[in-house]
Amino acid sequence: MALTKSERRLRIRRRIRKVVTGTAAKPRLSVFRSNKEIYAQLIDDVKQETLLSFSSRSKELESATGTKSDKSFQVGQGLAKLAIEKGITEVCFDRGGYLYHGRVKQLAEGARDGGLKF
């Protein structure tokens, strides 16, 4: 029996999480994509805590215009800016079961453009 889209994504997500883990020195950059918004957070899996988060709903991006991909790029840049202020320069990228193209790719490129290393 064929898997639904959400079941397929969850399987991929679990497979990725077996390999990608975050520490305080090199946290995991986790991405969640909804139909309208995109969310990103840096997670320390050892302590099981979120170090910081940024999304397209953040106050810094309230007046942002453009396509969802443009906003995703800005989310990546905003997250990178906050991470560098906290002293984080390297991250492990967790695409969350989504394909690496479109908005997920734009977020990653924005984070790289902001100064984060994957």
Side-chain angles (χ1 to χ4, degrees):
M1 196 165 142
L3 295 173
T4 64
K5 229 180 202 184
S6 60
E7 289 170 338
R8 180 182 170 278
R9 184 174 97 54
L10 282 175
R11 271 195 186 178
I12 295 168
R13 185 171 176 235
R14 287 187 193 118
R15 191 168 59 230
I16 292 169
R17 287 293 306 281
K18 287 179 190 175
V19 178
V20 178
T21 57
T23 62
K26 190 174 181 181
R28 176 170 54 95
L29 171 59
S30 177
V31 176
F32 175 74
R33 188 190 75 192
S34 71
N35 286 336
K36 290 185 178 183
E37 311 291 342
I38 192 157
Y39 305 84
Q41 53 185 340
L42 294 180
I43 302 170
D44 178 1
D45 289 318
V46 176
K47 292 183 182 175
Q48 296 183 346
E49 65 179 11
T50 299
L51 303 175
L52 59 98
S53 64
F54 201 81
S55 73
S56 55
R57 298 188 67 177
S58 298
K59 290 186 179 185
E60 294 87 350
L61 295 180
E62 276 183 349
S63 62
T65 58
T67 63
K68 292 187 279 188
S69 290
D70 295 338
K71 289 181 184 177
S72 298
F73 188 82
Q74 293 171 355
V75 168
Q77 286 182 325
L79 183 80
K81 181 183 170 192
L82 290 176
I84 289 173
E85 286 175 6
K86 274 200 155 186
I88 300 168
T89 56
E90 271 192 78
V91 296
C92 299
F93 190 69
D94 175 11
R95 58 189 174 91
Y98 302 108
L99 296 177
Y100 186 78
H101 73 92
R103 292 190 283 156
V104 175
K105 184 176 181 181
Q106 286 296 317
L107 188 139
E109 289 176 359
R112 284 190 187 105
D113 186 54
L116 287 181
K117 294 178 185 167
F118 290 30

